[in-house]
Amino acid sequence: MIKVVKKINEMQFITDKLRTEGRSIGFVPTMGYLHEGHISLVEALKSHCDFIVISIFVNPTQFGPNEDFMEYPRDFENDKKRAAENGVDVIFYPSAKDMYKEDFLTSVRIKQITETMCGISRPTHFEGVATVVLKLFNIVKPHTAVFGQKDYQQSVVIRKMVEDLNVDVKIIVAPIIREDDGLAMSSRNKYLTPEERKEALVLYKSLILAKKEIERGETNSRAIIKKMEEIINEKKLVKIDYIKIADPDTLQDLETVEQRAVIAVAAFVGSTRLIDNVLIK
Ligand code: AMP
């Protein structure tokens, strides 16, 4: 039977006990409204861990003042059902009041790699993410935690935090799960109107185009980005936030693609901000 834990000290008690029993704890942090992408992260843990915790917490501190914190989709009962069906042992489901006491003062800031890509239009986002993830690690005490490549920059930021602060958690990054037509699964896809949903596909198409250009021998990042911009700009409901070709570890711009690279795109589709990426090996 799946267990729902709301209190921080109860969660710590459970995992403390499991650790003394020699069990291995796997952890998937989420904001809920679970889809196949989240479930794939649970699956990715099964070969590493024998006890799986997911957290469902729409973390207020990672949303900017004009972002969708209030509207963010929530459906706890359905999440609980899906988690139970997929072998999750505990859902950690805290309240914001318990996570952030009135006198909360601490935050985790990772420099440089948070100041590019999504960090430009969401300047406080990664500080909110890093702080909550470190809190969740201290509460859930996992041996292994898994993050999606979907939020590529987030995965780099978490890895860096874990490395710099000697956090004793193994980080796994799992591939992007897509709808049949290629759109990256996201809780935010729910916001899209049918017309926006059709146009949103151009993000993935632009990444495929970039990959093909590279396979064809194109190495100039500017030329690749220009081609991507051209097909995206044909869609009247889609407005590019950024397109970036970067080193996959440092997130520094690459002028040429002659080594490993990440190609990342963020765009507004109507009023919904979507992100996607591909890795060039
Ligand atoms: P979220 O609930 O959106 O904060 O996402 C929780 C975790 O699920 C993060 O590590 C995301 O990167 C991951 N995730 C979200 N969408 C996908 C997807 N389509 N495929 C794989 N992982 C995903």
Side-chain angles (χ1 to χ4, degrees):
M1 257 285 275
I2 192 162
K3 191 173 166 63
V4 178
V5 175
K6 293 190 175 175
K7 292 292 166 208
I8 291 171
N9 55 3
E10 186 189 354
M11 188 69 245
Q12 287 173 318
F13 180 81
I14 291 170
T15 41
D16 266 344
K17 185 156 176 290
L18 288 164
R19 276 181 167 257
T20 60
E21 290 165 0
R23 305 282 298 275
S24 61
I25 302 157
F27 178 44
V28 187
T30 84
M31 297 205 297
Y33 211 71
L34 301 183
H35 50 66
E36 286 305 310
H38 298 114
I39 301 303
S40 76
L41 304 186
V42 173
E43 288 304 319
L45 281 176
K46 286 187 179 163
S47 55
H48 298 259
C49 303
D50 56 29
F51 192 93
I52 296 177
V53 180
I54 80 164
S55 59
I56 296 182
F57 181 57
V58 184
N59 174 37
T61 69
Q62 71 191 65
F63 288 80
N66 299 315
E67 293 182 357
D68 57 339
F69 173 67
M70 293 305 281
E71 301 84 48
Y72 197 83
R74 293 159 169 93
D75 185 351
F76 183 74
E77 283 313 312
N78 191 49
D79 287 350
K80 185 177 163 189
K81 190 165 157 276
R82 292 200 77 168
E85 284 165 1
N86 287 284
V88 171
D89 296 287
V90 164
I91 301 179
F92 178 54
Y93 186 47
S95 70
K97 251 169 98 187
D98 283 347
M99 289 291 276
Y100 300 107
K101 300 278 187 214
E102 265 172 33
D103 58 353
F104 192 91
L105 293 177
T106 303
S107 98
V108 180
R109 187 164 77 88
I110 293 105
K111 290 174 262 184
Q112 271 182 28
I113 53 175
T114 61
E115 289 154 15
T116 175
M117 299 165 73
C118 293
I120 294 173
S121 55
R122 309 187 75 190
T124 58
H125 173 67
F126 290 110
E127 198 165 329
V129 169
T131 307
V132 81
V133 168
L134 188 58
K135 267 176 83 70
L136 289 166
F137 283 177
N138 286 328
I139 296 166
V140 175
K141 308 187 190 201
H143 296 92
T144 307
V146 60
F147 293 82
Q149 186 200 315
K150 162 77 180 7
D151 297 85
Y152 186 77
Q153 189 175 11
Q154 169 175 280
S155 73
V156 174
V157 168
I158 299 299
R159 277 190 195 283
K160 193 75 189 120
M161 175 184 78
V162 163
E163 181 193 343
D164 287 356
L165 300 182
N166 307 99
V167 180
D168 194 12
V169 177
K170 179 182 157 80
I171 304 297
I172 299 175
V173 178
I176 303 175
I177 303 298
R178 300 179 177 282
E179 303 286 356
D180 289 342
D181 63 0
L183 181 71
M185 287 192 186
S186 164
S187 307
R188 289 191 168 98
N189 291 349
K190 174 187 155 54
Y191 298 141
L192 302 172
T193 64
E195 202 186 343
E196 287 168 354
R197 170 66 183 78
K198 267 189 225 146
E199 294 209 342
L201 197 54
V202 77
L203 301 186
Y204 181 57
K205 287 196 171 147
S206 74
L207 293 168
I208 297 295
L209 174 70
K211 234 176 145 171
K212 285 210 180 112
E213 287 294 308
I214 292 164
E215 280 159 14
R216 238 178 24 89
E218 180 63 81
T219 55
N220 184 290
S221 297
R222 267 309 327 154
I224 298 164
I225 291 172
K226 190 157 175 284
K227 287 236 153 86
M228 293 174 70
E229 284 169 347
E230 276 166 14
I231 72 158
I232 296 175
N233 288 335
E234 280 169 17
K235 303 293 173 196
K236 63 181 192 310
L237 303 175
V238 185
K239 198 173 151 284
I240 297 168
D241 178 8
Y242 67 80
I243 299 175
K244 176 105 166 169
I245 301 184
D247 178 286
D249 303 316
T250 63
L251 305 183
Q252 299 284 311
D253 279 315
L254 287 177
E255 276 177 28
T256 57
V257 188
E258 281 156 321
Q259 58 202 43
R260 287 167 63 241
V262 59
I263 307 181
V265 56
F268 285 92
V269 181
S271 56
T272 304
R273 188 172 177 283
L274 298 180
I275 56 175
D276 201 350
N277 67 82
V278 288
L279 281 168
I280 306 295
K281 300 253 163 76

